[in-house]
């Protein structure tokens, strides 16, 4: 019977924190929220961008292109990013403030973005939806019915992960104070959540409405 609830922590990595290669404004402010959530779940998933140095989402891999330009990458529109979260570099490490000692249950890591030919915002699929990380099957095997999503950045990897979770049949909520966005305008993100059936809640609501233990 599927009745478990999982916390998915998306890309809480150094390169997305202030001072990192692709810093999300106030990104480090989510760490205290994440730590407060860790004891409430018996299954926690950490996703990590894990790019090779020559990933083609990097502006450095395209002549005459600048950071934040858009290009066609194998048939998909692709924003060009600064080099970030390169495999086995400090920027790809999780923020050191995450307190693993607060975890009471099981935790696992899912890496994404390893194919240099396609970016992977979602923790479930690459942007072309051709290759799966195996996260759906992993959650299904463990009887997960609901997922709660936090991490960085709201308007990219968090959004893609949450919408994919909902599309795969999981009851899905994004925890607002556990995420930050690159853009200050999140109206389109919220509209996409509404259309996909993704809830957008505050962390205090989890206990107020007995959503988690």
């Amino acid at each position: 019977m599927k009745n478990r609830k999982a916390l998915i922590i998306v890309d809480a990595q150094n390169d997305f924190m202030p001072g990192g290669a692709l810093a999300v404004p106030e990104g480090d402010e989510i760490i205290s929220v994440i730590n407060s959530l860790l004891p409430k779940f018996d299954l926690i998933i950490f996703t990590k961008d894990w790019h090779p140095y020559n990933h083609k989402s990097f502006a450095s891999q395209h002549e005459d292109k600048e950071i934040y330009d858009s290009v066609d990458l194998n048939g998909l529109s692709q924003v060009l990013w600064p080099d970030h979260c390169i495999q086995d570099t400090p920027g790809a490490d999780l923020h050191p403030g995450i307190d693993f000692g607060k975890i009471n249950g099981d935790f696992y890591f899912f890496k994404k973005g390893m194919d240099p030919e396609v970016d992977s915002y979602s923790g479930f699929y690459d942007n072309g939806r051709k290759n799966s990380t195996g996260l759906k099957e992993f959650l299904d095997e463990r009887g997960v019915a609901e997922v709660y999503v936090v991490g960085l950045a709201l308007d990219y990897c968090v959004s893609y992960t949450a919408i994919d979770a909902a599309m795969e049949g999981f009851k899905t909520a994004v925890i607002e104070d556990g995420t930050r966005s690159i853009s200050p305008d999140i109206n389109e993100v919220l509209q996409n959540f509404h259309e996909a059936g993704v809830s957008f809640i505050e962390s205090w609501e989890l206990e107020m409405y007995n959503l988690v233990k």
Side-chain angles (χ1 to χ4, degrees):
M1 181 177 177
K2 292 181 66 173
N3 57 11
R4 294 182 76 187
K5 301 172 183 180
L7 178 66
I8 301 178
I9 301 170
V10 177
D11 301 0
Q13 295 165 272
N14 289 328
D15 269 344
F16 296 122
M17 303 293 171
L22 184 48
V24 178
E26 303 174 344
D28 55 340
E29 294 183 3
I30 71 171
I31 300 303
S32 61
V33 177
I34 289 173
N35 285 338
S36 73
L37 294 171
L38 292 177
K40 302 179 186 299
F41 293 85
D42 62 5
L43 180 60
I44 295 169
I45 305 297
F46 293 92
T47 74
K48 297 178 73 175
D49 261 2
W50 197 248
H51 296 311
Y53 74 92
N54 62 340
H55 200 279
K56 291 184 179 175
S57 69
F58 296 164
S60 62
Q61 300 299 307
H62 301 264
E63 291 186 11
D64 303 320
K65 295 294 181 183
E66 302 291 335
I67 293 171
Y68 305 125
D69 283 350
S70 291
V71 299
D72 181 288
L73 182 58
N74 299 312
L76 298 173
S77 178
Q78 175 67 52
V79 176
L80 295 181
W81 304 110
D83 293 15
H84 66 278
C85 296
I86 295 173
Q87 298 171 8
D88 298 312
T89 66
D93 290 341
L94 294 176
H95 188 284
I98 295 175
D99 187 355
F100 282 83
K102 291 183 177 295
I103 297 176
N104 295 324
D106 298 326
F107 64 92
Y108 300 88
F109 298 93
F110 278 77
K111 295 175 180 177
K112 59 191 180 67
M114 294 177 282
D115 182 346
E117 298 296 328
V118 61
D119 213 350
S120 296
Y121 296 152
S122 169
F124 289 86
Y125 299 99
D126 65 44
N127 290 1
R129 297 186 67 84
K130 294 180 179 179
N131 295 293
S132 166
T133 64
L135 180 54
K136 177 197 183 305
E137 294 77 12
F138 183 88
L139 296 175
D140 282 340
E141 288 170 0
R142 283 154 183 80
V144 172
E146 300 179 24
V147 299
Y148 294 82
V149 187
V150 296
L152 299 171
L154 172 63
D155 39 349
Y156 284 93
C157 296
V158 169
S159 173
Y160 276 65
T161 298
I163 289 172
D164 274 353
M167 290 176 61
E168 293 295 349
F170 300 102
K171 184 177 179 181
T172 305
V174 172
I175 300 175
E176 182 175 0
D177 47 329
T179 184
R180 294 292 187 275
S181 64
I182 293 175
S183 170
D185 182 0
I186 63 169
N187 287 330
E188 183 177 353
V189 172
L190 296 182
Q191 180 62 33
N192 291 339
F193 285 169
H194 176 72
E195 293 174 358
V198 174
S199 301
F200 197 51
I201 66 174
E202 297 275 356
S203 59
W204 60 264
E205 294 181 68
L206 296 176
E207 292 187 1
M208 177 69 72
Y209 299 110
N210 295 313
L211 297 177
V212 297
K213 63 182 181 180

